[in-house]
Amino acid sequence: MNRFKRLTVIARSFAIISGLSSGYYVQAQVLEEIVVTAQRRTQSLQEVPISIETISGVDIVKQGYRDLDAVASTTPGILIDTGQNDTIVTIRGFGTTGNALTREQAAPIFLDGVHLPRASQAKLAFLDVDRIEILKGPQPIYFGMNASAGAFNIQSRMPTSEWEANFNSEVGLDFNRMVMASAGVGGPITDTLGIRVSGKYEKSDGFLEDLIDGNKFPHQEDSGARAILRWTPSDQLTVTGKVEAVRIDAGSAAGLLCTTGASTLWTGTAAGRLPNPTGSPRSLYLDAPLGTNWAVAHKPLPTSDGDCFKSRVTRSNEGPYYDVPDNVHSNEGNIGMVDHRRVAAAWFLDESDPYHHGKLWDGILGGEKLDSLTSYVDLTYSLSNDIEVSWLSAFSKYDRLSSEENFDSPLYENNQIRSEDYDQLSSELRFTSPVGGMFEWMFALSVQDATYDIVNGNVRSTVRRGMRINQVWEDQTWKNAFGTVTFNFLDNKASVDVGARYSVLDKITYTGNYGRQYIFNIFPASVSGPTSGLIQVTDPSAHSIYLPYDPAAGLWYYRWRAQTNVPVEWRGTEAGYPVGLTAPIYNAEPGPYMGDFGEKEFDPQITLRYRLSDNHSLFFRWAEASKAGGFDTGQTSAPASFEDYAFQSEYAETYEVGAKGTLWDGRARYGLSIFELTFTNLQVSSATGNIEDPFVNINAGEQRNRGIELTTQFAVSEQMNVSLTGALMDGAMLVFPNAGCTTAERFTPGSGCEFPPGVPNGVIDRSGQQSPFTPDWNLMADLDYWMPVLDGYTIDFSARGFISDGYFMDNAGFSKVTEYDTHGDLSLSLGLGPQDDTWRVSVYGRNLLEPRTTYHDELNIFDQGFIGETVGRSNFTSYGVKFEYNYR
C-alpha cells in the first residue's frame, strides 16, 4: 500500500506538470555543449572516442548527490556496494573485491589529475565540483595506474575571470534529520592572480533504528574546505595551486538485520558441533547437558510485505547487545563464548598501549573517522611553437579508523578493527602538441611513491582467539611513461590513434602478526596497584598489563591455541566475563614476513575514428590494461609461507565499437557503445571452507562481460530537457575451475564440490556461471522542466528514476541468499526562483521507492536465525527543503 500511494502521488505530479507545460510550449533550444578532459585535453564530449558519462556540478548540487553511491543510480553499467569496511566500485561488472586493504583499485579516482588509489577515498564528500567524468572500460594511456575497468575523473571548480559566489543549503525533514551547507567564492585578486575558496558541512542523525535501544544510527558528520590559486603572469605561463582537506566522522555502518525463521540457538554436543548441517559455523548453541532454553526480551523485527529488509529496525554497534549466558557457546570458535565488551572497550581507550597506536578510539561503538589532505602545484607553459609543457606535482594523504561488529547477530561476537595511514607523492611531466595538424601527439613521464601503514585485527568472543592483529607496512614506487600519436587523414574525416603506457612497479611489504588472550577470574596471579586508577597485573608469562577494574579474584590467562575446548572448571564460573587482555604474544602464528613484489607492464591502445559528417562519428577502440598484484594481508590466519600471501596481476582486454552525434540542429545528442571486456588472471576472493579464513584473494581464470549502452538527451522545448540511458549486459565466468567450496556447498548434494588431493576444503567449478554485479538490463530516465510564473519568476521540476534487472553481489561464494531482484527508484524536486537564478528555494524527495536487497529463504542452507545486509543512504527515502543563492 505504501508503494501504491507513492506511485499515485508521482503520477499526479507528472500529470500536473504535463498540464502546465502544454500552455507554455515554445521552440526547443540547442543543448549546451559538454566539455571534458578525458584525454588530457579540453575537448567536446562528442569529439572524444571513448564511452563517457558526465555529471555536472549543477546537477550534483540540485540532486543532492553526496558520494559515488548516489551517482551510480544515474549511470548505466555502474554499480557500487557500500560495505561495512570498504566500498566496492564496479564498471561494466568489474571492480576490486576482497578483504585485503592492499588491493589496487580497478576503477580508481582522479581528482584534478591527482590519483586517489584506495577504496576508502571513494567515500570522500563532493566539494565544489565542476563535473564528474566516468570513463568506461580499460583506460591504460591517460589514467594508467590500474584503471583496468575504468576511471572517475573529478574536476573542481576553478577561479574565474569575474567574481562569483554560490551558497547551497538543505534541511532534511525525514527520519534522518539532515542539515547541510556549502559555499564557494572566487574571482580575480589582481589582473594575473585568481582565487577560489569553498567549504562544506553536513550532519545527519541516521536513518535506522537500533534493534534494542531504539536510537537512530548511523550518524554522520562531513566537512571539507579547499583553496585554489591560479597565477597567469603571461600568455605562456599558468601556475595553479590547490590545498584541500576533508573529514568524515560516521557512526556504526548501517546493517539491516532480519530474522529468517530459524532459531538463533540450537542444541548440540562437543562431539557433534563441527561440522553440523543443522547450524551455521557462526551459529550459537546451548550446551545440552547444562542447557535451559534461553530467552531475552527484545523488540521484535517488523517486516513490510513479508520482506524483512524493508524494515527500518536493525542493529548497530552503538546499542547494547545481549549478554551472553554461561551455557551459550559459539560454533565459530568450537569453544565457549565470552562476553568481552568491557575489556574490549578498555583496550580501545587505552592509548598508553604502544601496540594500540593511540588511534583506535572508542571502537567498541563502531564507526569510521577519515581525514584526507590533498595539495598540488600545476605549471603549464606554452612554447613558441605552441607545444605545451605541463608539470603536476602533488601530495596526498589520509588517515582512517574504522571499527565494525561484522557478525549478523544481536550478540557482540566479532569486532573488526582497521587503522590506515597513507602518504603519497607524485609528479608528472607532460608534453602536448597543438591540435589541428596531420599529426597530434602527447608524451609523459611520471613517478608515484606511497607508504601505507595498516593495523587490521579483530576482537572476538572466543577465548581461543581473544584478539588477533596484523600489522602491515607497504612501500610502493610506480614509474610510468606513456605516449600517443594521432594521424588525421581524409581531410580530417578519419583518424587513427596509437598509444601505450609502460609501467614499472616495486612493492615492499612487511607483515607481522600477534595476538592477545583474555585474562579471567580463575587462578592466582601477581597483582600490584592501583596505578593511575588501573590495576597492573603480571601474568604467569611475565607480561605486564593494565586492567580496567579491580578483579574479585585471582587471574588466569588462556594461552594461544593451547586447547580447543572450554576447560570444565570454567563452566558455571565467571569465565564468560574476562577482566583484561594479555600483552601482545608475538609470532603466535607464522611470521613476521617481508617480501618484494615487482612487475613491468606494457599496455597498448588503438583507436580508429571516422566522421560521417560534422554531427556524427563512428569509433573503434581496442585496449589492454593491467592491475597490479600484491599480498593478501587481510587473511585472518597467517599462512605457512610468505608466498601464500601473494596474488598476481590481472589483465583486461576490450573491444568497443561506438557512435556519437547530434540531431535536430543540436537539440538532441546520442552515444552508442557495443563492447566486449575480458579479464584474465582475475583477482577475486574465493571461499576456503575454513572457518578461520573463510575467504582468500586468489587469481581466477577468466571473466567476460559484453553489452550495449545507449545515452540520449533531448531538448524537447525551451523549457524541457529529457534524457534516457540504458544498458543490456551479459556477464559470465568463462573459466573458473578451482573456486573454493563454501560451507553450504560442502553439505549440498549435487553441488559439484570436490575434494582433490591436497585441497582439504574442496573446490568447485564455477565456469559458465553468471558473474556478479551484472544485471541483464537497466534503464535511467531524467526530466527537467521549467516555466515562467508571476512576474520574472520560474518554477522548475525535475524527476530522476531508474529500473534495473536483478543481480547478486557475492563474488566470493556466489551466493544468492541475498541479492537485488528487479528494482527501481525515483527522486523528485520542485523549485521556485527568479529567472536570473539569483536564488531558488525547492522541496525534494529522494529514493522514494527505497531499493533494497531481497532475502531468499529457500537458498539459505545454513540458517542461523539472523541475516544481515549493509546499506547506504541511497537505500532510504529522504525529503526536505533546499535553498540556493548565486552571485555573478
Side-chain angles (χ1 to χ4, degrees), residues 487-809:
F487 172 52
N488 299 307
F489 57 99
L490 295 181
D491 294 330
N492 213 36
K493 283 190 173 183
S495 63
V496 56
D497 178 271
V498 179
R501 176 181 287 259
Y502 181 70
S503 303
V504 179
L505 167 66
D506 186 41
K507 287 185 181 181
I508 298 176
T509 302
Y510 165 87
T511 180
N513 306 278
Y514 65 87
R516 292 170 181 258
Q517 303 314 307
Y518 291 120
I519 296 179
F520 298 88
N521 297 349
I522 301 294
F523 297 110
S526 173
V527 178
S528 63
T531 302
S532 301
L534 298 174
I535 304 300
Q536 185 177 5
V537 177
T538 302
D539 67 42
S541 295
H543 293 295
S544 182
I545 185 173
Y546 290 95
L547 299 181
Y549 57 90
D550 189 4
L555 303 174
W556 190 89
Y557 87 100
Y558 192 68
R559 294 181 181 275
W560 184 268
R561 295 190 175 185
Q563 57 193 84
T564 58
N565 293 309
V566 179
V568 174
E569 61 269 20
W570 286 22
R571 298 179 179 178
T573 70
E574 297 181 50
Y577 300 92
V579 295
L581 288 165
T582 65
I585 304 173
Y586 285 94
N587 299 330
E589 299 177 346
Y593 296 120
M594 178 175 285
D596 191 353
F597 180 91
E599 66 177 3
K600 299 177 181 179
E601 298 292 350
F602 180 79
D603 297 319
Q605 175 179 294
I606 297 175
T607 305
L608 305 176
R609 174 169 178 166
Y610 183 76
R611 297 171 176 84
L612 297 172
S613 67
D614 292 339
N615 299 323
H616 305 278
S617 64
L618 303 174
F619 70 87
F620 166 79
R621 180 170 174 265
W622 167 81
E624 291 183 346
S626 57
K627 180 161 79 77
F631 301 97
D632 184 4
T633 56
Q635 294 185 38
T636 300
S637 300
S641 67
F642 198 62
E643 288 73 19
D644 293 332
Y645 267 124
F647 55 93
Q648 303 305 310
S649 301
E650 69 180 16
Y651 302 95
E653 182 179 28
T654 187
Y655 295 90
E656 185 170 0
V657 177
K660 292 186 176 184
T662 59
L663 301 167
W664 302 321
D665 299 324
R667 288 175 290 162
R669 57 173 160 248
Y670 67 90
L672 174 67
S673 296
I674 303 173
F675 67 89
E676 180 170 291
L677 177 56
T678 304
F679 273 63
T680 56
N681 217 33
L682 182 71
Q683 298 170 6
V684 299
S685 285
S686 181
T688 65
N690 177 6
I691 62 172
E692 296 292 343
D693 282 298
F695 302 105
V696 62
N697 285 305
I698 66 170
N699 293 94
E702 185 174 335
Q703 179 180 341
R704 185 264 301 136
N705 289 0
R706 57 192 177 192
I708 301 174
E709 294 174 344
L710 175 65
T711 63
T712 62
Q713 187 174 2
F714 307 91
V716 179
S717 73
E718 193 174 88
Q719 297 154 234
M720 182 183 294
N721 283 348
V722 175
S723 67
L724 297 172
T725 62
L728 301 174
M729 191 155 56
D730 172 40
M733 306 298 298
L734 295 184
V735 181
F736 195 0
N738 295 310
C741 294
T742 64
T743 305
E745 287 167 335
R746 293 172 61 194
F747 291 95
T748 303
S751 67
C753 190
E754 300 177 357
F755 294 82
V759 185
N761 296 302
V763 296
I764 190 170
D765 189 351
R766 301 199 193 280
S767 302
Q769 291 191 23
Q770 178 188 0
S771 57
F773 296 102
T774 52
D776 289 340
W777 55 266
N778 52 29
L779 177 67
M780 290 82 175
D782 296 349
L783 180 147
D784 289 292
Y785 175 82
W786 57 98
M787 58 176 288
V789 296
L790 303 175
D791 184 13
Y793 290 86
T794 62
I795 288 178
D796 65 86
F797 171 81
S798 70
R800 302 285 187 272
F802 79 88
I803 185 170
S804 173
D805 191 29
Y807 61 91
F808 70 98
M809 300 161 291

Side-chain angles (χ1 to χ4, degrees), residues 58 114 167 173 238 260 273 341 375 661 693 732 862:
V58 173
V114 179
F167 174 78
L173 305 177
T238 300
T260 63
R273 287 199 296 270
R341 283 169 287 178
S375 61
D693 282 298
F862 286 84

